[in-house]
PDB file of all heavy atoms in Angstrom:
ATOM      1  N   PHE A  88       3.318   4.607  23.014  1.00 98.00           N
ATOM      2  CA  PHE A  88       4.541   3.829  23.246  1.00 98.00           C
ATOM      3  C   PHE A  88       5.786   4.570  22.760  1.00 98.00           C
ATOM      4  O   PHE A  88       6.898   4.245  23.178  1.00 98.00           O
ATOM      5  CB  PHE A  88       4.407   2.457  22.579  1.00 98.00           C
ATOM      6  CG  PHE A  88       3.226   1.692  23.079  1.00 98.00           C
ATOM      7  CD1 PHE A  88       2.010   1.745  22.401  1.00 98.00           C
ATOM      8  CD2 PHE A  88       3.290   0.972  24.261  1.00 98.00           C
ATOM      9  CE1 PHE A  88       0.901   1.074  22.879  1.00 98.00           C
ATOM     10  CE2 PHE A  88       2.193   0.292  24.744  1.00 98.00           C
ATOM     11  CZ  PHE A  88       0.983   0.349  24.065  1.00 98.00           C
ATOM     12  N   ARG A  89       5.569   5.580  21.917  1.00 98.00           N
ATOM     13  CA  ARG A  89       6.697   6.404  21.490  1.00 98.00           C
ATOM     14  C   ARG A  89       7.280   7.152  22.688  1.00 98.00           C
ATOM     15  O   ARG A  89       8.490   7.438  22.729  1.00 98.00           O
ATOM     16  CB  ARG A  89       6.240   7.418  20.423  1.00 98.00           C
ATOM     17  CG  ARG A  89       7.399   8.196  19.790  1.00 98.00           C
ATOM     18  CD  ARG A  89       8.262   7.257  18.974  1.00 98.00           C
ATOM     19  NE  ARG A  89       9.380   7.919  18.323  1.00 98.00           N
ATOM     20  CZ  ARG A  89      10.617   7.926  18.783  1.00 98.00           C
ATOM     21  NH1 ARG A  89      10.897   7.350  19.949  1.00 98.00           N
ATOM     22  NH2 ARG A  89      11.592   8.503  18.111  1.00 98.00           N
ATOM     23  N   PHE A  90       6.446   7.421  23.679  1.00 97.00           N
ATOM     24  CA  PHE A  90       6.891   8.132  24.880  1.00 97.00           C
ATOM     25  C   PHE A  90       7.253   7.158  26.007  1.00 97.00           C
ATOM     26  O   PHE A  90       8.100   7.461  26.841  1.00 97.00           O
ATOM     27  CB  PHE A  90       5.798   9.099  25.332  1.00 97.00           C
ATOM     28  CG  PHE A  90       5.418  10.086  24.264  1.00 97.00           C
ATOM     29  CD1 PHE A  90       4.265   9.905  23.500  1.00 97.00           C
ATOM     30  CD2 PHE A  90       6.237  11.162  23.982  1.00 97.00           C
ATOM     31  CE1 PHE A  90       3.921  10.802  22.505  1.00 97.00           C
ATOM     32  CE2 PHE A  90       5.905  12.073  22.981  1.00 97.00           C
ATOM     33  CZ  PHE A  90       4.744  11.887  22.236  1.00 97.00           C
ATOM     34  N   ILE A  91       6.636   5.979  26.009  1.00 97.00           N
ATOM     35  CA  ILE A  91       6.995   4.955  26.998  1.00 97.00           C
ATOM     36  C   ILE A  91       8.393   4.399  26.710  1.00 97.00           C
ATOM     37  O   ILE A  91       9.173   4.128  27.627  1.00 97.00           O
ATOM     38  CB  ILE A  91       5.948   3.815  26.999  1.00 97.00           C
ATOM     39  CG1 ILE A  91       4.592   4.345  27.457  1.00 97.00           C
ATOM     40  CG2 ILE A  91       6.401   2.667  27.905  1.00 97.00           C
ATOM     41  CD1 ILE A  91       3.458   3.340  27.299  1.00 97.00           C
ATOM     42  N   TYR A  92       8.699   4.252  25.409  1.00 98.00           N
ATOM     43  CA  TYR A  92      10.017   3.742  24.991  1.00 98.00           C
ATOM     44  C   TYR A  92      10.688   4.793  24.089  1.00 98.00           C
ATOM     45  O   TYR A  92      10.814   4.600  22.872  1.00 98.00           O
ATOM     46  CB  TYR A  92       9.868   2.419  24.239  1.00 98.00           C
ATOM     47  CG  TYR A  92       9.161   1.344  25.034  1.00 98.00           C
ATOM     48  CD1 TYR A  92       7.840   0.991  24.751  1.00 98.00           C
ATOM     49  CD2 TYR A  92       9.811   0.696  26.086  1.00 98.00           C
ATOM     50  CE1 TYR A  92       7.189   0.016  25.483  1.00 98.00           C
ATOM     51  CE2 TYR A  92       9.165  -0.280  26.824  1.00 98.00           C
ATOM     52  CZ  TYR A  92       7.856  -0.614  26.523  1.00 98.00           C
ATOM     53  OH  TYR A  92       7.207  -1.582  27.259  1.00 98.00           O
ATOM     54  N   PRO A  93      11.127   5.901  24.657  1.00 97.00           N
ATOM     55  CA  PRO A  93      11.627   7.020  23.841  1.00 97.00           C
ATOM     56  C   PRO A  93      12.901   6.716  23.062  1.00 97.00           C
ATOM     57  O   PRO A  93      13.179   7.388  22.069  1.00 97.00           O
ATOM     58  CB  PRO A  93      11.870   8.123  24.881  1.00 97.00           C
ATOM     59  CG  PRO A  93      12.072   7.405  26.175  1.00 97.00           C
ATOM     60  CD  PRO A  93      11.183   6.200  26.112  1.00 97.00           C
ATOM     61  N   LYS A  94      13.688   5.724  23.487  1.00 96.00           N
ATOM     62  CA  LYS A  94      14.938   5.410  22.803  1.00 96.00           C
ATOM     63  C   LYS A  94      14.763   4.362  21.700  1.00 96.00           C
ATOM     64  O   LYS A  94      15.710   4.072  20.967  1.00 96.00           O
ATOM     65  CB  LYS A  94      15.979   4.933  23.814  1.00 96.00           C
ATOM     66  CG  LYS A  94      16.398   6.013  24.816  1.00 96.00           C
ATOM     67  CD  LYS A  94      17.483   5.515  25.744  1.00 96.00           C
ATOM     68  CE  LYS A  94      17.905   6.605  26.731  1.00 96.00           C
ATOM     69  NZ  LYS A  94      18.961   6.135  27.663  1.00 96.00           N
ATOM     70  N   LYS A  95      13.557   3.804  21.589  1.00 97.00           N
ATOM     71  CA  LYS A  95      13.297   2.779  20.574  1.00 97.00           C
ATOM     72  C   LYS A  95      13.289   3.418  19.183  1.00 97.00           C
ATOM     73  O   LYS A  95      12.699   4.467  18.978  1.00 97.00           O
ATOM     74  CB  LYS A  95      11.951   2.119  20.854  1.00 97.00           C
ATOM     75  CG  LYS A  95      11.656   0.888  20.001  1.00 97.00           C
ATOM     76  CD  LYS A  95      12.537  -0.287  20.321  1.00 97.00           C
ATOM     77  CE  LYS A  95      12.287  -0.853  21.708  1.00 97.00           C
ATOM     78  NZ  LYS A  95      13.073  -2.090  21.936  1.00 97.00           N
ATOM     79  N   LYS A  96      13.954   2.764  18.215  1.00 97.00           N
ATOM     80  CA  LYS A  96      13.999   3.276  16.844  1.00 97.00           C
ATOM     81  C   LYS A  96      12.666   2.976  16.149  1.00 97.00           C
ATOM     82  O   LYS A  96      12.256   1.813  16.062  1.00 97.00           O
ATOM     83  CB  LYS A  96      15.150   2.641  16.055  1.00 97.00           C
ATOM     84  CG  LYS A  96      16.514   2.841  16.707  1.00 97.00           C
ATOM     85  CD  LYS A  96      16.843   4.315  16.914  1.00 97.00           C
ATOM     86  CE  LYS A  96      18.189   4.499  17.591  1.00 97.00           C
ATOM     87  NZ  LYS A  96      18.448   5.910  17.917  1.00 97.00           N
ATOM     88  N   VAL A  97      12.015   4.042  15.677  1.00 98.00           N
ATOM     89  CA  VAL A  97      10.674   3.920  15.099  1.00 98.00           C
ATOM     90  C   VAL A  97      10.673   4.519  13.695  1.00 98.00           C
ATOM     91  O   VAL A  97      11.103   5.665  13.495  1.00 98.00           O
ATOM     92  CB  VAL A  97       9.630   4.657  15.967  1.00 98.00           C
ATOM     93  CG1 VAL A  97       8.236   4.509  15.367  1.00 98.00           C
ATOM     94  CG2 VAL A  97       9.653   4.135  17.387  1.00 98.00           C
ATOM     95  N   TYR A  98      10.193   3.752  12.741  1.00 98.00           N
ATOM     96  CA  TYR A  98      10.153   4.195  11.351  1.00 98.00           C
ATOM     97  C   TYR A  98       8.720   4.118  10.825  1.00 98.00           C
ATOM     98  O   TYR A  98       7.901   3.339  11.319  1.00 98.00           O
ATOM     99  CB  TYR A  98      11.097   3.342  10.495  1.00 98.00           C
ATOM    100  CG  TYR A  98      12.529   3.426  10.964  1.00 98.00           C
ATOM    101  CD1 TYR A  98      13.013   2.551  11.938  1.00 98.00           C
ATOM    102  CD2 TYR A  98      13.386   4.406  10.470  1.00 98.00           C
ATOM    103  CE1 TYR A  98      14.317   2.644  12.396  1.00 98.00           C
ATOM    104  CE2 TYR A  98      14.698   4.505  10.916  1.00 98.00           C
ATOM    105  CZ  TYR A  98      15.152   3.627  11.885  1.00 98.00           C
ATOM    106  OH  TYR A  98      16.436   3.733  12.351  1.00 98.00           O
ATOM    107  N   LEU A  99       8.452   4.938   9.808  1.00 98.00           N
ATOM    108  CA  LEU A  99       7.091   5.049   9.289  1.00 98.00           C
ATOM    109  C   LEU A  99       7.100   4.966   7.765  1.00 98.00           C
ATOM    110  O   LEU A  99       7.874   5.655   7.106  1.00 98.00           O
ATOM    111  CB  LEU A  99       6.488   6.397   9.724  1.00 98.00           C
ATOM    112  CG  LEU A  99       5.106   6.766   9.177  1.00 98.00           C
ATOM    113  CD1 LEU A  99       4.046   5.815   9.705  1.00 98.00           C
ATOM    114  CD2 LEU A  99       4.760   8.209   9.550  1.00 98.00           C
ATOM    115  N   THR A 100       6.239   4.104   7.214  1.00 98.00           N
ATOM    116  CA  THR A 100       5.961   4.117   5.780  1.00 98.00           C
ATOM    117  C   THR A 100       4.539   4.631   5.584  1.00 98.00           C
ATOM    118  O   THR A 100       3.595   4.089   6.168  1.00 98.00           O
ATOM    119  CB  THR A 100       6.100   2.719   5.150  1.00 98.00           C
ATOM    120  OG1 THR A 100       7.460   2.273   5.270  1.00 98.00           O
ATOM    121  CG2 THR A 100       5.732   2.749   3.669  1.00 98.00           C
ATOM    122  N   ILE A 101       4.409   5.674   4.764  1.00 98.00           N
ATOM    123  CA  ILE A 101       3.100   6.259   4.475  1.00 98.00           C
ATOM    124  C   ILE A 101       2.683   5.778   3.090  1.00 98.00           C
ATOM    125  O   ILE A 101       3.304   6.123   2.078  1.00 98.00           O
ATOM    126  CB  ILE A 101       3.163   7.800   4.518  1.00 98.00           C
ATOM    127  CG1 ILE A 101       3.716   8.253   5.877  1.00 98.00           C
ATOM    128  CG2 ILE A 101       1.781   8.401   4.275  1.00 98.00           C
ATOM    129  CD1 ILE A 101       4.157   9.700   5.906  1.00 98.00           C
ATOM    130  N   HIS A 102       1.633   4.965   3.041  1.00 95.00           N
ATOM    131  CA  HIS A 102       1.193   4.353   1.783  1.00 95.00           C
ATOM    132  C   HIS A 102       0.069   5.139   1.107  1.00 95.00           C
ATOM    133  O   HIS A 102      -0.014   5.186  -0.106  1.00 95.00           O
ATOM    134  CB  HIS A 102       0.677   2.933   2.043  1.00 95.00           C
ATOM    135  CG  HIS A 102       1.723   1.980   2.491  1.00 95.00           C
ATOM    136  ND1 HIS A 102       2.404   1.154   1.620  1.00 95.00           N
ATOM    137  CD2 HIS A 102       2.204   1.700   3.729  1.00 95.00           C
ATOM    138  CE1 HIS A 102       3.262   0.399   2.303  1.00 95.00           C
ATOM    139  NE2 HIS A 102       3.164   0.711   3.585  1.00 95.00           N
ATOM    140  N   GLY A 103      -0.837   5.692   1.905  1.00 83.00           N
ATOM    141  CA  GLY A 103      -2.056   6.264   1.336  1.00 83.00           C
ATOM    142  C   GLY A 103      -2.055   7.770   1.329  1.00 83.00           C
ATOM    143  O   GLY A 103      -1.023   8.425   1.306  1.00 83.00           O
ATOM    144  N   GLY A 104      -3.281   8.326   1.320  1.00 80.00           N
ATOM    145  CA  GLY A 104      -3.409   9.767   1.385  1.00 80.00           C
ATOM    146  C   GLY A 104      -4.113  10.382   0.204  1.00 80.00           C
ATOM    147  O   GLY A 104      -4.535  11.533   0.257  1.00 80.00           O
TER     148      GLY A 104
END
Side-chain angles (χ1 to χ4, degrees):
F88 302 94
R89 188 67 179 99
F90 303 101
I91 295 172
Y92 303 105
K94 295 183 179 179
K95 189 68 67 174
K96 303 303 179 186
V97 181
Y98 300 88
L99 175 66
T100 297
I101 304 165
H102 294 265

